Amino acid sequence: YRSFYKGQKWVRHRSPENVIAECEELKKYNTKFIFFQDDEFLSNPKLFKLLNLYKENIKLPFHCQIRIELLTDERAALLRQSGCTGVTFAIECGNPAIRKLILKRDMSDRQILEGVRILHRHGLKFRTENMLGLPNESLKSMFKTVELNSKCKPTIAWASIFQPYPKLKISEGIKVDREYKYSFFEDTVMDTKLRKQIINLQRLFGVACDYLFIRWVLRYLMEMPNNRLYGWIYKTWKQRQYKELFR
């Protein structure tokens, strides 16, 4: 971000009063639920004040995005008391070496699982975000991502397909053999022999994380030709779990 936006302020924290004013405006439209689409909600330097103002003035259930390694019991309790019903956080990959060296997310499996225990302890639903088909990622590594998510027992396990967007360091040296899609849930643009398996796993990811019997046969299911049935399973499961997540 610093290299992209030289000379510009690249982190901006809105005041609690400003955020609450926007929430008040939303309430005029019979809003039932608020989703804070912020990369890291907990890093707001005035989080305590923001959540207390929200609790006093807004009084609506809400969902926010966090970094799981920054979650504490105190913060989870504060979120819950303020009306938070659930959070989203990114695991990205079940392979700790890939998380640290390629994705620059220096958090251990232990930290992830401890954060998850805090969420369960405070009755907060949660969605995990993951990427499949990372540079030089093996099928074994992708299965580790499924396994780690299944240990977390999320309300919904969400997986996208890695896209080597231009000008990112992670994209350097990657050969692209097709046009980028509108969505990062559809296909991989990388020149890879694992395209079929990556697409199939993305479609089956949420169900596989929830059901052990699917994980037992997952290796075989991934070898099937890409098909509409898997797409239907993905969409149906996602809709069902989202209703639970944002209820």
Side-chain angles (χ1 to χ4, degrees):
Y1 284 163
R2 288 191 180 105
S3 64
F4 289 166
Y5 305 106
K6 289 181 179 178
Q8 300 181 46
K9 190 173 183 180
W10 66 288
V11 174
R12 298 174 302 282
H13 293 291
R14 294 169 58 184
S15 70
E17 293 81 6
N18 182 275
V19 175
I20 296 303
E22 182 176 349
C23 293
E24 291 281 15
E25 185 70 21
L26 290 172
K27 288 182 70 175
K28 296 177 183 179
Y29 300 94
N30 198 32
T31 298
K32 303 295 185 186
F33 194 98
I34 289 179
F35 187 165
F36 288 100
Q37 184 71 11
D38 192 316
D39 285 346
E40 214 303 287
F41 188 77
L42 299 179
S43 66
N44 190 304
K46 296 183 179 179
L47 179 67
F48 184 83
K49 182 178 182 181
L50 171 61
L51 290 178
N52 274 286
L53 286 174
Y54 189 94
K55 180 181 178 181
E56 294 170 8
N57 298 282
I58 307 304
K59 301 176 183 177
L60 287 175
F62 71 92
H63 187 99
C64 61
Q65 300 192 148
I66 68 171
R67 288 285 294 243
I68 192 65
E69 72 270 32
L70 300 181
L71 185 67
T72 62
D73 267 301
E74 181 182 21
R75 286 175 166 177
L78 185 58
L79 287 171
R80 188 67 170 151
Q81 292 163 13
S82 303
C84 181
T85 61
V87 303
T88 291
F89 68 90
I91 292 176
E92 304 296 23
C93 180
N95 186 319
I98 291 178
R99 279 203 307 269
K100 181 177 181 178
L101 301 177
I102 296 180
L103 300 177
K104 311 302 179 186
R105 297 182 71 90
D106 191 7
M107 58 184 187
S108 65
D109 289 359
R110 182 189 60 79
Q111 287 176 301
I112 293 169
L113 293 171
E114 176 53 34
V116 164
R117 281 191 283 271
I118 292 173
L119 292 174
H120 284 300
R121 191 153 55 236
H122 290 272
L124 288 165
K125 302 173 186 178
F126 61 95
R127 173 179 66 172
T128 58
E129 295 179 329
N130 305 270
M131 283 192 285
L132 302 171
L134 288 156
N136 300 315
E137 187 178 25
S138 65
L139 284 178
K140 183 178 180 181
S141 174
M142 289 183 242
F143 287 136
K144 281 188 176 182
T145 304
V146 174
E147 290 168 5
L148 180 55
N149 276 266
S150 67
K151 289 179 182 178
C152 292
K153 294 180 169 49
T155 310
I156 181 169
W158 174 107
S160 64
I161 297 175
F162 169 74
Q163 307 293 320
Y165 294 126
K167 297 188 178 181
L168 298 178
K169 189 171 183 60
I170 194 174
S171 304
E172 293 176 0
I174 292 178
K175 184 178 179 181
V176 174
D177 67 355
R178 58 190 62 198
E179 293 293 325
Y180 287 90
K181 299 290 186 179
Y182 173 76
S183 165
F184 45 56
F185 297 107
E186 294 181 40
D187 194 0
T188 175
V189 301
M190 293 194 303
D191 182 12
T192 173
K193 295 179 180 179
L194 296 178
R195 174 170 282 109
K196 176 180 68 176
Q197 291 88 343
I198 290 169
I199 293 172
N200 281 341
L201 181 56
Q202 190 279 329
R203 307 297 190 264
L204 299 173
F205 189 86
V207 180
C209 290
D210 271 17
Y211 291 111
L212 181 60
F213 75 89
I214 296 292
R215 295 197 293 279
W216 283 345
V217 296
L218 188 58
R219 293 178 186 272
Y220 303 101
L221 295 175
M222 288 174 64
E223 296 302 326
M224 295 289 288
N226 297 143
N227 58 81
R228 292 183 180 181
L229 174 61
Y230 288 4
W232 178 85
I233 291 171
Y234 164 66
K235 291 179 181 178
T236 303
W237 185 255
K238 188 175 181 179
Q239 289 170 355
R240 171 184 164 182
Q241 296 307 95
Y242 269 13
K243 286 180 182 178
E244 173 63 24
L245 181 65
F246 297 120
R247 189 172 62 183

